[in-house]
Amino acid sequence: MKTHSLLVLPVLFALSTFAAEALDWYRWRGPDLDGISKESGWQTTWPKEGPKQLWKAAVGIGFSSMSVSNGRVYTMGNEKDTETVFCFDANTGELRWKHSYPCPIDPHVYEGGPNATPTVDGKQVYTFSRKGHLFAFDAETGNVIWSKNVHDELGLKIPEWGLSSSVLVEGDLLIINAGVAGSAVNKTTGKVVWTSGKESAGYSTPVPVNQGSQLAVALFSTTELEAVSVADGKLLWTFPWKTKYGVNAADPIINGDNIFISSGYNEGCALLKVSGNKPSVVWQNKNMRNHFNSSVLIAGNIYGFDEADLKCLDGSNGAVKWTEGGLGKGSLMAADGKLIVLSEKGMLVVAAASPAGFKPISRAQVLGGKCWTTPVLSNGKIYCRNARGDLVCVDVSGK
């Protein structure tokens, strides 16, 4: 989401293949917020018919991805202007609980529905709707701990395609991309701690950024990349990044003082270096145009969807290493040196993460319809969904 050498993000959590919780994918882009899982030993070679489908569920229209924690899977969907947060048993697909509330589905050139992914933090799960509904649930029972609508409370402008930020938990605060440079509420009470201007937010989720001893996050508005202090929302620096229609959706990829950014509509990508409070361009081109799904960084190379082509870029200079067509506007994550790709039409592909070329290992048609939502690998299972709300879980445990 590097100066002249991009490096893998530092390990934020101690991981062990023997600890089930270490393999959970409890928030958008995973534990390290980079789209990369530390899970290993999962099955990458599949029979001709593909991996076994363990279960399937209908969750309603939307583009919310899945969060997996403590044997439970969370996602969101919308039917007939009613939005629902779902919790399923990760192994069986049994519905553990759901919570519904009125919220417009709001189609606009696409199907509409929720854009954000639930965030699990210990015994709580937090969700954010396209119209500003912010909930804190008991993760096991679904009981509402508190709720509010930050749009109504703060008078914030909603972007054209709805609020899209997943919730980032930082200490006692929940950081959301709402308002021109984000907002924060207390995670225990829901009380607003700080908020930025009322103008429209961008579509990315906040990610931690290195600002020396100061804890900060980076996020997109419709016209800029911005870094703000977690404690009080103070604007630390900005970098102009004006994309057509204000669609700055892919999360920045951050390593130390270096940040990779990318947007669609022919805006392109750039590698920035931040010195003090001043970002500068290391390189910039149009070789990677992430429309809405974020790229991943592995061993100095950037893998992602340049509009409808899957590409690998050299992170040191932005040069194209390879291009693979035919997957549409797909999405991807990575694990154990492999790319896990879901094509726009529901083809699940495992490929080696290699700058030498696109090297598919296995592929299987797991869904139909439009698939713009990032797949999730967790505890030997891969979860995929489409726009109309078909959610499937396939077994890649190798057992």
Side-chain angles (χ1 to χ4, degrees), residues 21-99:
E21 57 272 14
L23 304 178
D24 282 352
W25 191 265
Y26 54 84
R27 60 182 175 182
W28 167 244
R29 300 271 284 166
D32 295 346
L33 298 166
D34 59 0
I36 301 172
S37 170
K38 301 299 189 297
E39 187 157 340
S40 61
W42 52 283
Q43 188 177 33
T44 60
T45 55
W46 305 332
K48 184 178 180 181
E49 63 273 17
K52 179 182 178 181
Q53 180 178 298
L54 294 178
W55 54 268
K56 185 176 182 179
V59 297
I61 292 170
F63 297 85
S64 175
S65 189
M66 290 64 63
S67 297
V68 185
S69 176
N70 200 27
R72 295 182 286 266
V73 181
Y74 305 87
T75 193
M76 302 165 66
N78 192 304
E79 286 292 342
K80 298 179 180 178
D81 294 330
T82 297
E83 192 155 285
T84 301
V85 180
F86 292 90
C87 173
F88 298 98
D89 184 286
N91 295 312
T92 67
E94 178 187 357
L95 181 65
R96 293 285 192 89
W97 58 262
K98 65 179 181 179
H99 181 84

Side-chain angles (χ1 to χ4, degrees), residues 284-352:
Q284 183 172 352
N285 60 41
K286 297 184 185 298
N287 290 341
M288 184 70 78
R289 297 162 295 174
N290 292 152
H291 189 171
F292 31 72
N293 282 313
S294 306
S295 296
V296 295
L297 165 66
I298 303 172
N301 298 295
I302 301 164
Y303 301 87
F305 276 88
D306 173 38
E307 295 291 356
D309 288 328
L310 180 62
K311 282 186 177 180
C312 172
L313 302 190
D314 184 328
S316 67
N317 56 26
V320 177
K321 291 293 190 79
W322 54 258
T323 301
E324 179 72 14
L327 297 167
K329 288 181 178 290
S331 57
L332 80 167
M333 63 166 290
D336 198 24
K338 312 292 191 303
L339 304 178
I340 302 170
V341 181
L342 185 63
S343 80
E344 186 173 26
K345 294 184 178 180
M347 178 71 72
L348 185 62
V349 182
V350 174

Side-chain angles (χ1 to χ4, degrees), residues 258-281:
N258 301 281
I259 306 176
F260 172 77
I261 57 176
S262 178
S263 295
Y265 297 98
N266 209 36
E267 178 62 26
C269 59
L271 179 66
L272 310 179
K273 180 177 177 59
V274 181
S275 298
N277 288 339
K278 185 176 177 57
S280 59
V281 176

Side-chain angles (χ1 to χ4, degrees), residues 192-221:
V192 174
V193 176
W194 57 261
T195 187
S196 55
K198 298 181 186 297
E199 288 305 305
S200 180
Y203 300 93
S204 73
T205 292
V207 292
V209 61
N210 182 14
Q211 283 298 127
S213 61
Q214 186 167 203
L215 189 61
V217 293
L219 70 171
F220 273 114
S221 70

